[in-house]
Amino acid sequence: MTGLRGPGITADTQLRDLLTLLAGPGSRAWAIRATATGHLCVDDTGTSRVLAPSPGLRTCLRDSLRRPCLLPAPLLAELPGAAAIVGDGWIAACTNPGGDDEWLVVAGTSAGDGTRIAAAARRRRQHRRLATAVDEAQTVLDALPFPVFYKDESSRYRGCNRPFAEVVSGAGPAGLVGYHPDRFLSQEHLATHHEIDQALWRGEHEELPYELTFDDGTGTLREVRCHKRLTRTGHGERLIVGALLDVSDHRRTERALQASEARLYRFIEESPDAYFLLDETGVILRANRGASRLTGADDGMLVGAPLWPWLGATDPRAEPPGPGLLDAAGGPQCLEAVLRHADGEAIPVELRISEIADDGATQRLCVATDIRERHRAQARMRRHERMFRDVFEASEDAILILDGDRFVECNQATLDVLGARHLEREAVLPFTPWDVSPPTQPDGTDSRIKAQQMIALAHYRHFHRFEWLCRGFDGQDIPIEATMTTIAYNGRTALYTVCVDISERRRHEEEAFSLAYYDPLTGLPNRRLLQHRAVDTIREHQAGGRSLGVLYLDLDRFKDINDTQGHKTGDGILAAIADRLADRLRPGDTLARLGGDEFAVLCPDCDAAVLDEVVDDLGRAFESPLPLAGGEVRLDCSIGGVLCPQDGTSLDALLQHADIAMYEAKAAGRRFMRYAPHHGAAVQERVQLEQALARAVEQDALTLWYQPRVCTRSGRIESVEALARWIPADGEAISPGRFIPLAEQTGLIVAIGAQLRRRAAHQARAWAEQGYPLRMAVNISPLELEAPRFAEEILATIDSGGLDPAQLELEITEGTFMRDPERNAATLSRLRSAGVHITIDDFGIGYSSLSHLKCLPVDTLKLDRSLINQVDEDAHEAAIVQAVLALADRLSLNVIAEGMETASQAAALDALGCTLHQGFHYAHPVQPEAFPLGRIYRDPDR
C-alpha cells in the first residue's frame, strides 16, 4: 500500500507473545506440539527442546483439543525448568485444532507461593472486569463511522476501532495492539508521522492535523486527514489519540472548483468582451485583456482609475454614462454607449452592469461588448430592407405578405391583378385568401378549406407552390400560380407569397392539350384519346358481360387526290369527310382519326346487327359528292369490323383484326366486311416479307440514305437525318412504311437499329474528317429504347465510331416516350448527360403528354408534317404551330419542321420563328456520295 504496509504477524510471533504474557515473576509458561519424532517444547524464554514420546502427554494433547484440562504432576516434571513448580499446571488448547500448528500451552506458579496464587486469582477477576469494560469501550469505538486509534509514548498502538484496523491492516483491532506504526506506514510518511508525534509529546501543540494519500487496494487513491491530540488517562498516563477523516470527495470538489474558477478566469481573460470589476464608486479593481484591447490601455492605466472617463454617450447631445449606473435598485443594467480608445476612436459598445457580492463587499461587474459589426449588419439590413421594398414594389408579379390567415402587405401589382388598381391598399388590406376567391376551386374543394390546407403545408415545408383560382374585385376569375415561402415578419413567421397570372400559360396548355389529344386537321380524337376511352369501355363491357364493336375505315382512292390535287386539297377533303362521319354517329360512339386517311370508330353496346346498322349510317356520308376546286369528287371507303370479346380484348388486337378485315373488303370490292379467322392472305404476305427482312438483316443488306436539315438564317446544313432503305437483290425498293412497322412487330428492329447506327456513326466520322462535322440523327423504336442495355450500346457505338457524343442525335416518337415515361426518361437522361442530343419525332400527331413533356430530357421538338401542310394559308394551323413554338420556347427546346415541300411553307414557318427546316423543298434523301456537303441554300426557291 502507498502510505501503509501490512503487519506481517506470523503464528510463531503470536505464540511467543502469548508465552511472554503468561509468564511473570515466579511463573513459567510452555508450549508443546506433537511431531513425528516426539514432542517439541518451547518455553517463555524462547528455548526449545524435543521431549521423549509419552502416552500421557499424547492423551493430554488429545483431551485439550476438546476443552482445557489439567496436566498431571509426573508429566509436568518432564517440562524443562519445571522443577520448582508445585501443584498442577493450567492447560489450554491452541486456536487451530486439527491444523498444522496445534500447540498445548502450559502455565504454572513457583513453589511455596500460595499468596501469589491467590493474588493471581484476584488479578484474574480484575482482569475479567477490566476486559468487560474494555470490550464495552471497544464496542463504542467500533460503532464510530471513522477510524480512531490511541497509542502510548513508545508510539505503540494501545487500541483502535475496527474501521481503523481495516484501513491499516485489514485485521481486527486486537491484531494491532502493541505494534509500532512503522510496520504499517510507508517510508515517505514515517518522517512526518514521527515529527508530529514528537511535537505533541514535547507539548508544543495540543492538536496537529496532517494529510496523507494511499491506495485503498482497489486502485483508487484515497486522501485522509489525520487529527492527533495529546491527552492523559485517569492515572496520568499520556496518550496520543487520533482520528482519520476521508477527505477524498472534499478534495476532489475543491480541485473541481479550482479548475472551474481557472476556466472562468481564462474565459474572461480570453473573451473579446471587456470585463471591468468595479467597486461601489466605479473605480476599476480588475480588467481583462479584452478591456485592454478595446481601450488601448494596459492594467496600469485601468486598475485604480474610474471607468467613467472611458465612456461616452452614443448621442453626442446626451449625457455620458456616470456613477448613476451603479444603482442596482432596478436590477442589472443594459445600454449602448461609446468606449473611448486611447487613440481617440469611439467604439460603440453594449454595456451590461450587474451587482456581485465578494466576502460581504458590494462590487459591480461591467461587461462591454464591441457592437461595431452589429451596427454594420444593421446598416446592411436596412439597405436590404430598402432593396426588398424596391423589388417588392417594382415587381410585375403580385407579391403579398400572409400573416396568419390574412394578407397584411401587398404591392401595386397585386391590385392590378385583382382588378383594384383604382383603390388604395389600405382600402383592401387586410383580407383573407378566400376573400378573393370563388366559393370553390376547380377541383370542387371549398376555397376556405383548401386555402387553409395550402397555408399549413407552406408553414410545414417552408416552401410550397400550387395553382389557385382567384376572383378579382371586378368579379373576374384569374388562374394564378402561388409560391409561398416562410419569412420572419414582426417577430413571427409569415408567408412571402408571389402570385403569377397564368392565364396566358393556361391558354397555351389548352391549345397544346388539344394538340395532344385531338387531330389538328379534323378536330377528331386522335389515337391516344381513343386508347384512353377504349381501355375504360372494354373494362366496363367485360365486367357487365356486354359486347362492343370497333370499325376500321380507310378512304378509297384518297391518295390519288393528294397526288393530283395536292395535300392542301386533300386535307380539306379529310376535314369534310370527318364532319360527315361525325354527324352519322350514335350518341356515345367515338370517331378518331388514326392518321392519313384512316379512321376508327368505337361503338359501345354493339352486337353484329347493330354494327351493320352503324356501317350503313356511315356509308350514307359518302352518298353525296364532295366539293373540289373546279368541280366535285365522289369518294367511298372500305370498312373492317370486329366485336369484343369475340375478336379481341384489347384495342390493339381489335384494330389489327379490323384492319385485316378492311383490306379483305377492299380486295373484294366491298364496303364492309366482318373479321373472320380465314382472312389470312395479307398475313401470309406479311410472313413472307418478314422472312425476307430477316435474311436482309442477317446479310447486313439494309442501307442508309441521308437528308439534310437547313438553318434558314445561315442557309447552311446544320445536321442530317439517316433514313433506312431496303433494296432487295431484285432491285425493287421496299418502302420504309412497310418494313419498319414489320421490323418493330417482329423485334428485328433492334438488330436493324444497331447495324444502321454503326454505319451512321462511321459516315459522320468520315464527313467530319472532310471538314463537315454534322450532327447525325437516327431514329429509335420503342423496342430499342426499352432494351435493357440500350444506353450502353449507344455509348459503345459512339466510342467505336470515334464520335463526339454531341454529334449523335436520337429521334424518338411521342408514342415511344409514352410507353414507359419514367423508365424511358431515366435512360435518355443518362445519354443526354453524356452529350447525346435527344429529339421528339413526329410531334403533334397526337401522342404528346404535356404533363410529361416538361420533365423529359429533350433538346428538340420535330413538328409532324401534318402541322405544316397549310401553315402558309390556314391561320388556324399557323396559330397551332405558333402555340407549339411558344411552348417550346418556355421549355427551352429547339424546333425542327419536317415535310417542307414548298417555298411558301418555308417562308411562313420562318416568319413564325421556326428556322430549322427539313423536306423535299431543300433536298430528297440521297446516298452518301450524293449528299450536298457544303451547300449554302440562299436562293428563296432553293
Side-chain angles (χ1 to χ4, degrees), residues 641-657:
V642 292
L643 291 174
C644 173
Q646 297 94 311
D647 301 322
T649 56
S650 68
L651 181 63
D652 289 341
L654 293 171
L655 287 177
Q656 179 183 3
H657 292 162

Side-chain angles (χ1 to χ4, degrees), residues 739-856:
F739 74 81
I740 293 297
L742 181 61
E744 291 179 340
Q745 293 171 11
T746 60
L748 290 172
I749 192 66
V750 176
I752 292 173
Q755 290 178 359
L756 297 184
R757 280 192 295 274
R758 287 193 293 269
R759 188 169 297 171
H762 285 91
Q763 185 61 62
R765 174 66 181 272
W767 282 340
E769 291 175 349
Q770 298 176 38
Y772 299 100
L774 300 175
R775 186 169 66 242
M776 181 68 70
V778 295
N779 289 278
I780 304 298
S781 74
L783 289 179
E784 293 177 279
L785 182 59
E786 294 168 1
R789 296 183 57 81
F790 173 72
E792 289 80 358
E793 188 270 328
I794 291 294
L795 296 176
T797 299
I798 292 172
D799 186 59
S800 63
L803 287 183
D804 183 334
Q807 287 183 264
L808 182 64
E809 177 179 337
L810 304 182
E811 290 193 8
I812 293 94
T813 64
E814 301 175 82
T816 300
F817 267 128
M818 294 303 109
R819 285 167 64 106
D820 192 347
E822 294 185 3
R823 177 181 176 184
N824 293 340
T827 300
L828 295 177
S829 293
R830 178 181 174 187
L831 291 172
R832 189 166 181 255
S833 64
V836 178
H837 201 86
I838 308 297
T839 296
I840 294 183
D841 195 12
D842 298 337
F843 183 79
I845 63 172
Y847 288 93
S848 302
S849 175
L850 299 180
S851 63
H852 290 87
L853 183 59
K854 63 181 179 180
C855 304
L856 289 172

Side-chain angles (χ1 to χ4, degrees), residues 414-633:
T414 302
L415 301 180
D416 296 342
V417 169
L418 295 176
R421 64 182 60 190
H422 60 286
L423 299 175
E424 295 294 331
R425 295 180 210 184
E426 292 74 12
V428 297
L429 290 173
F431 59 88
T432 65
W434 49 89
D435 288 337
V436 288
S437 303
T440 59
Q441 289 299 299
D443 62 358
T445 306
D446 182 272
S447 290
R448 177 171 187 156
I449 294 174
K450 188 165 186 176
Q452 292 170 340
Q453 292 172 348
M454 297 301 101
I455 293 171
L457 275 175
H459 279 289
Y460 177 75
R461 298 175 177 172
H462 304 293
F463 175 87
H464 188 42
R465 179 174 290 156
F466 57 93
E467 292 188 1
W468 189 261
L469 186 64
C470 284
R471 177 165 291 172
F473 290 98
D474 56 2
Q476 296 295 319
D477 287 345
I478 312 107
I480 63 167
E481 181 182 74
T483 302
M484 289 181 165
T485 308
T486 54
I487 61 170
Y489 179 80
N490 290 340
R492 298 184 300 277
T493 300
L495 293 175
Y496 182 82
T497 307
V498 179
C499 299
V500 179
D501 187 342
I502 58 173
S503 301
E504 188 68 20
R505 189 174 82 189
R506 282 284 178 84
R507 283 192 290 271
H508 285 300
E509 288 177 350
E510 290 171 0
E511 291 174 358
F513 177 84
S514 177
L515 180 64
Y517 288 96
Y518 290 89
D519 177 54
L521 176 62
T522 62
L524 295 177
N526 59 19
R527 183 185 293 269
R528 182 177 180 80
L529 183 54
L530 178 66
Q531 178 71 35
H532 280 304
R533 292 183 181 178
V535 169
D536 295 336
T537 304
I538 291 173
R539 184 188 304 112
E540 292 173 1
H541 280 63
Q542 286 183 321
R546 297 177 292 160
S547 65
L548 60 88
V550 174
L551 299 175
Y552 199 108
L553 186 150
D554 179 80
L555 299 183
D556 296 335
R557 299 183 296 105
F558 180 75
K559 184 176 182 300
D560 296 338
I561 295 176
N562 268 341
D563 293 342
T564 59
Q565 302 296 323
H567 287 287
K568 180 178 179 181
T569 301
D571 289 346
I573 295 296
L574 283 175
I577 290 176
D579 290 341
R580 290 188 179 187
L581 292 174
D583 291 339
R584 296 289 177 177
L585 294 178
R586 301 177 306 157
D589 291 348
T590 298
L591 173 65
R593 184 188 177 201
L594 301 180
D597 61 349
E598 296 178 338
F599 299 84
V601 182
L602 179 65
C603 307
D605 295 312
C606 181
D607 56 17
V610 174
L611 193 64
D612 290 338
E613 294 176 2
V614 173
V615 170
D616 290 341
D617 286 340
L618 294 176
R620 294 188 183 95
F622 298 92
E623 291 179 351
S624 59
L626 293 163
L628 189 68
E632 56 185 25
V633 64

